[in-house]
Amino acid sequence: MRLLTVLRTPMGVVASIILVLVLLTAIVAPLLWNDAAEARNTANLNSGPSAEHPLGTDVLGRDLLLRTLVATRLTVLLALGATGVALGLGILFGAAPVLLGHRAGRLAVSAVNIAVAFPGLLLALVLALILGVGELSAMWAIGIAGAPSFARLCQTLVASVAERDYIAAARLAGKSRFRILLRHVLPNIAEPLIVNATIAAGAALLAFAGLSFLGLGVQSPSYDWGRMMMEGLDRIYLNPIAALAPGVAVVIAGLAFNLMGEALARSLSTPRIPVAWGMRPRRPYPQKAEERGDGEPADHLAGPGHADSSEPAGPAAYPEAVLTLRDLRVSLPGHLGCLTPVRGISLRIAPGEAVGIVGESGSGKSLTALAAAQLVEEPLAVRAATLKFCGADLMLRPQSTRDRSRYQRLLGRSLAVVFQDPMTSFNPTMRIGAQLVEGMRFHDGVERSWAQARAVDRLGAVGIEEPERRAAMYPHEFSGGMRQRAMIAMGLMGDPQLIIADEPTTALDVTVQKQVLELLDEVRSASSVALMLISHDIAVVRQVCDRIAVMYGGRIVEELPADRLAEQAQHPYTRALIAAVPDMNTDLDEPLATIPGRPVDLSQRSAGCPFAPRCPLATQRCHEQDPALIPAGDSGGAHRVACWHPVVDAGRAALAEADRSAGEPASAEGSELS
Amino acid sequence: MTELRIEKLTVRYGRGPSVHTAADEVSLTVPASQTLGLVGESGSGKSTVARAAAGLVSADSGTIKLGGKPLPRRGLRPVQMIFQDPRSSLDPRMSIGESIAECLPSRFSRSARRSEISRLLDMVHLDPTRRGARPPELSGGQLQRVAIARVLAARPAVVVADEITSALDVSVQGAVLNLVRELQTELGLSLLFISHNLAVVRYVASQVAVMRTGRILEAGPADQVFHRPQHSYTRQLLDAVPDTLRSTP
């Protein structure tokens, strides 16, 4: 059970121990000492601490230590009872919109909104007076007073679950509202409710002590800690311990509930894989220059990816590339060892070149882009033999603040990043124009009026009509495609050498997608900006890019000029990807080609080629040795492939197709290759 | 199988000045045992039509008739729906077997339920022994298969599939589309298949309707709409489809 993960944190352990002790006392103490705590001793009234009575005795000569211990049960029970009342009423009102439908539900929501406005403790006092003196009425009073905040919490939680499609599916299955609430809604909101109820129990305990102390709660001859404090108060100057001991008990028990709640909240909101935080520096400058180059990180799952740390391909005519990556690795230190989502990427992008990176989710393509843009944050760590952008070595740790700000200026001016969902990249409360201006002023310290004029100019340049009027609008007033244009305009505020676009069209419709891709292409040819386009859709990438790198399992498995993609792709994975996309000429009589099996699981990587388990051509060798990314045949180095059995000619391609349709892996080891 | 006929369906959201007409006098027919592809961009009202057809959204005007009769309002619904994101459409706290069982008609006995769930999982090419698995243990493509099995459990007259492959990787998309086509022909399902991807719709649908800003612009046999589009917007959509990847034979 997920709640038990709380025991993995020190705070959780401490809280659990105290809570268990409190609950044990509540169960055991009355069984053992109930009579002894009631025993009167007229010879020893109101005595101070002594060997026989460590905390002294009360007005009737009863032992205060035993009474404090025995009172634990009533105190805790009443606090839990009040919490139960609050929770029950809260769920009832919170779930009203689901149970009663929209109109009646809205009424319940308004009622809760009004009730939340009253201060809880005041409400409890008033209710206690109305309901009459006594422990049960006090319990109801505190419970009812706590209900509005639970109802509000429930409403929020229920609303977030009610939008889920599985609720719609259950309605289509003809299930009643009550059943949907019990089976689908409550289990999915239970965790936050339990956390909050635990914290609320601590608060209820305190509130109850308060009411009893005022004489509104527990009445004689029953006693709880609050009542004991009231009784001890009369003689606070003679025997302070008589009032303080139950007070300390209230603090300990209240703290136990609160700490437990906090610990639960923390352990439930953190990811399930506990991560060793703080092992690496925040910025990706893990080593000093002279320590670098010895390649292997100390993780055992990295595999032999170093094989392709040779100079990356790319037009040799450009002496200085915009971006050079050599043996780039991104790793996630964890308690099961190091996971390495990106292992040994080497890539070079020349000025004005468009390079596409293609792969399915989990292939490491986005992380590669983020690492290149210096946007990877802890706990992920970036290492590379080379990571150069516009001639600057980004793996060098800047020594002074001046160096650091020089780096930031370089990145801010020369690198533009476009993300998949522009809605989350813009601040919803700021006008578009102001957001464009802000970045520019921060990096370059230019005049505001100049920057504003530039923002309008750039919005016009990305094809936004009436740029002046649009600059004064907020992000939500833009359509998805328009926001993506504005995002590109923001990148063009400086003087970018490279635009990194991470799935820039995935959230867009076909027609808008086409426009955005055309815009990226225009921008590139107009100002010879290099482009790194990341997508899961090989068709999208091919439209825009000169060169395509196909990623699988954190590695580049094939890199080739875009015009060779259709006919000369050699990696079985690349060919399978191409075959899997239906287009307007797909044969309707045949089933679509598929890639059997599942994408790589990072935690279960073997030594061999990552694609081997899904590959129709895989042999023993593929499962044992990871192939290096090496130049393919006749390409002169522009086409590289990492495969033991590349599909080189039409005959072989036909063989691969035949194998795939037969559904069985080729068994014969390709002896001509080994 | 049965025909689903939507006539002059109008659905509005909001009230007063902020009212938004998501579907504006939409008329569509899903012929018995055939697939109608509904194409359009986000915000065109496709999903509203889907939800109205399944009875999840109430219409402001217009009629939806199944085999000539109005849609029933309670019990196991004859129009079932497959959603875009399988991670959202399956309860993460329930095993996939329990999720499927929820849609089984009540006439099944306890033991019959078990074998029926196995049969359905097998039908969508999932290992029946995984019935106890919970959604987080499965991949997106596998979950979409579970969602399809759940819909089939209800013995639907019509199935509405709303962008069922757009949350999946291309490598998985093909497998799900193959399954949909296979089941459609095998079981003779009437299918309303909604997507913004024309190539995908072309692959599964025999009839196609094009929708924009809440209205149907063009409808007809798939072959006709894709090869001799009448409306300029349809032509625009067709132009935006990326070129073919494979070498032409």
Side-chain angles (χ1 to χ4, degrees), chain B residues 51-73:
Chain B
R51 288 181 169 258
L56 288 171
V57 170
S58 46
D60 286 276
S61 64
T63 54
I64 300 173
K65 285 195 171 156
L66 185 67
K69 283 180 236 149
L71 289 179
R73 281 267 166 218

Side-chain angles (χ1 to χ4, degrees), chain A residues 466-547:
Chain A
E466 301 180 77
E468 244 162 279
R469 194 172 66 86
R470 286 284 176 178
M473 289 169 82
Y474 289 96
H476 72 264
E477 297 174 273
F478 277 46
S479 68
M482 197 93 85
R483 276 198 292 267
Q484 205 56 295
R485 282 172 190 271
M487 194 76 217
I488 296 171
M490 187 188 257
L492 296 178
M493 284 295 281
D495 182 20
Q497 300 297 306
L498 175 65
I499 298 176
I500 295 181
D502 187 2
E503 302 268 11
T505 61
T506 305
L508 305 176
D509 295 308
V510 257
T511 44
V512 189
Q513 162 172 303
K514 192 180 179 205
Q515 291 162 8
V516 169
L517 291 179
E518 280 168 0
L519 172 64
L520 282 173
D521 205 35
E522 270 167 36
V523 166
R524 180 168 77 98
S525 44
S527 41
S528 76
V529 186
L531 174 68
M532 184 177 188
L533 179 65
I534 290 130
S535 177
H536 70 281
D537 191 342
I538 203 163
V540 162
V541 167
R542 202 190 60 144
Q543 276 185 306
V544 183
C545 295
D546 309 317
R547 209 143 49 85

Side-chain angles (χ1 to χ4, degrees), chain A residues 11-35:
Chain A
M11 185 162 112
V13 171
V14 171
S16 311
I17 290 175
I18 305 179
L19 195 60
V20 166
L21 283 180
V22 169
L23 294 178
L24 266 182
T25 314
I27 295 166
V28 174
L31 298 176
L32 293 180
W33 301 304
N34 197 23
D35 296 338

Side-chain angles (χ1 to χ4, degrees), chain A residues 207-537:
Chain A
F208 224 106
L211 281 191
S212 289
F213 183 76
L214 293 175
L216 293 170
V218 175
Q219 301 300 315
S220 190
S222 297
Y223 55 100
D224 69 342
W225 291 334
R227 179 150 193 99
M228 289 179 67
M229 283 198 292
M230 179 179 81
E231 289 167 356
L233 189 70
D234 298 339
R235 301 178 53 254
I236 187 100
Y237 297 112
L238 299 170
N239 183 11
I241 287 183
L244 286 181
V248 169
V250 168
V251 171
I252 291 175
L255 210 63
F257 281 111
N258 266 319
L259 274 181
M260 194 67 203
E262 292 291 335
L264 280 174
R266 254 186 230 189
S267 70
L268 290 179
S269 61
T270 44
R272 286 242 231 154
I273 306 168
V275 164
W277 298 89
M279 276 176 64
R280 303 282 166 91
R282 181 170 192 77
R283 278 257 138 205
Y285 311 113
Q287 304 142 303
K288 290 199 185 106
E290 61 270 20
E291 289 167 7
R292 281 185 291 114
D294 51 354
E296 276 311 297
D299 52 77
H300 62 279
L301 291 163
H306 62 282
D308 50 304
S309 59
S310 58
E311 270 308 298
Y318 298 101
E320 191 62 79
V322 179
L323 180 75
T324 311
L325 304 176
R326 204 156 61 84
D327 200 19
L328 175 81
R329 288 161 187 279
V330 181
S331 50
L332 176 72
H335 72 125
L336 292 172
C338 223
L339 299 180
T340 316
V342 175
R343 349 171 262 127
I345 296 286
S346 297
L347 191 72
R348 174 190 266 173
I349 302 181
E353 199 190 8
V355 174
I357 299 187
V358 181
E360 35 194 358
S361 39
S363 62
K365 55 187 192 309
S366 288
L367 268 181
T368 302
L370 291 178
Q374 304 284 294
L375 289 172
V376 172
E377 297 217 332
E378 241 182 280
L380 289 161
V382 176
R383 285 161 169 259
T386 312
L387 203 179
K388 271 189 169 177
F389 176 65
C390 290
D393 188 345
L394 298 181
M395 290 312 284
L396 278 177
R397 185 193 291 270
Q399 295 302 321
S400 62
T401 42
R402 226 185 84 228
D403 278 356
R404 184 163 302 196
S405 65
R406 202 165 52 83
Y407 269 49
Q408 278 177 355
R409 211 163 43 238
L410 173 74
L411 288 173
R413 273 192 69 90
S414 310
L415 179 69
V417 184
V418 180
F419 292 107
Q420 174 174 348
D421 183 3
M423 195 63 206
T424 53
S425 325
F426 279 116
N427 179 343
T429 64
M430 269 176 83
R431 295 175 199 277
I432 291 280
Q435 300 197 44
L436 263 63
V437 168
E438 192 188 44
M440 171 126 230
R441 279 172 57 82
F442 177 74
H443 289 299
D444 297 283
V446 295
E447 286 285 313
R448 174 173 291 275
S449 57
W450 189 86
Q452 263 161 353
R454 172 112 179 142
V456 171
D457 175 65
R458 297 289 86 184
L459 285 174
V462 297
I464 291 181
E465 284 170 23
E466 301 180 77
E468 244 162 279
R469 194 172 66 86
R470 286 284 176 178
M473 289 169 82
Y474 289 96
H476 72 264
E477 297 174 273
F478 277 46
S479 68
M482 197 93 85
R483 276 198 292 267
Q484 205 56 295
R485 282 172 190 271
M487 194 76 217
I488 296 171
M490 187 188 257
L492 296 178
M493 284 295 281
D495 182 20
Q497 300 297 306
L498 175 65
I499 298 176
I500 295 181
D502 187 2
E503 302 268 11
T505 61
T506 305
L508 305 176
D509 295 308
V510 257
T511 44
V512 189
Q513 162 172 303
K514 192 180 179 205
Q515 291 162 8
V516 169
L517 291 179
E518 280 168 0
L519 172 64
L520 282 173
D521 205 35
E522 270 167 36
V523 166
R524 180 168 77 98
S525 44
S527 41
S528 76
V529 186
L531 174 68
M532 184 177 188
L533 179 65
I534 290 130
S535 177
H536 70 281
D537 191 342

Side-chain angles (χ1 to χ4, degrees), chain A residues 2 103 106 163-175 179-180 183-185 187-191 272 359-362 365 503 506-515 536-540 542-543 565-567 573 576-599 614, chain B residues 15 40-43 46 51 54-57 74-81 83-85 87-94 98-99 101-104 130 136-139 142 150 168-178 181 196-200 202-204 226-227 233 236-248:
Chain A
R2 221 153 99 72
R103 202 155 296 169
R106 214 174 293 154
E163 280 168 20
R164 292 283 169 146
D165 288 334
Y166 55 80
I167 303 293
R171 278 173 63 194
L172 291 181
K175 301 297 168 203
R179 207 183 135 87
I180 289 176
R183 288 217 61 176
H184 295 288
V185 179
N188 281 296
I189 65 171
E191 276 179 9
R272 286 242 231 154
E360 35 194 358
S361 39
K365 55 187 192 309
E503 302 268 11
T506 305
L508 305 176
D509 295 308
V510 257
T511 44
V512 189
Q513 162 172 303
K514 192 180 179 205
Q515 291 162 8
H536 70 281
D537 191 342
I538 203 163
V540 162
R542 202 190 60 144
Q543 276 185 306
L565 185 69
E567 314 216 352
Y573 177 63
L577 263 190
I578 295 169
V581 187
D583 60 29
M584 296 310 278
N585 296 320
T586 303
D587 187 350
L588 296 180
D589 299 325
E590 293 288 318
L592 289 170
T594 58
I595 308 176
R598 301 179 63 169
R614 301 170 76 182
Chain B
R15 248 182 266 174
E41 313 209 322
S42 53
K46 315 184 294 279
R51 288 181 169 258
L56 288 171
V57 170
R74 39 182 69 242
L76 193 58
R77 309 291 158 85
V79 180
Q80 288 286 325
M81 189 160 166
F83 299 88
Q84 175 173 3
D85 182 2
R87 299 222 175 266
S88 164
S89 67
L90 292 163
D91 189 336
R93 306 256 156 192
M94 276 163 78
E98 286 170 330
S99 278
E102 199 175 54
C103 271
L104 282 175
R130 299 207 66 188
E137 298 162 35
L138 274 70
S139 71
Q142 288 174 321
R150 175 176 62 185
L168 305 177
D169 268 312
V170 268
S171 55
V172 185
Q173 168 178 284
V176 171
L177 290 178
N178 285 343
R181 257 180 41 144
H196 69 277
N197 188 330
L198 273 76
V200 166
R202 176 183 166 275
Y203 190 67
V204 292
F226 284 132
H227 289 110
Y233 178 68
Q236 207 181 321
L237 276 181
L238 285 165
D239 282 344
V241 177
D243 302 334
T244 178
L245 268 174
R246 281 172 288 276
S247 45
T248 34

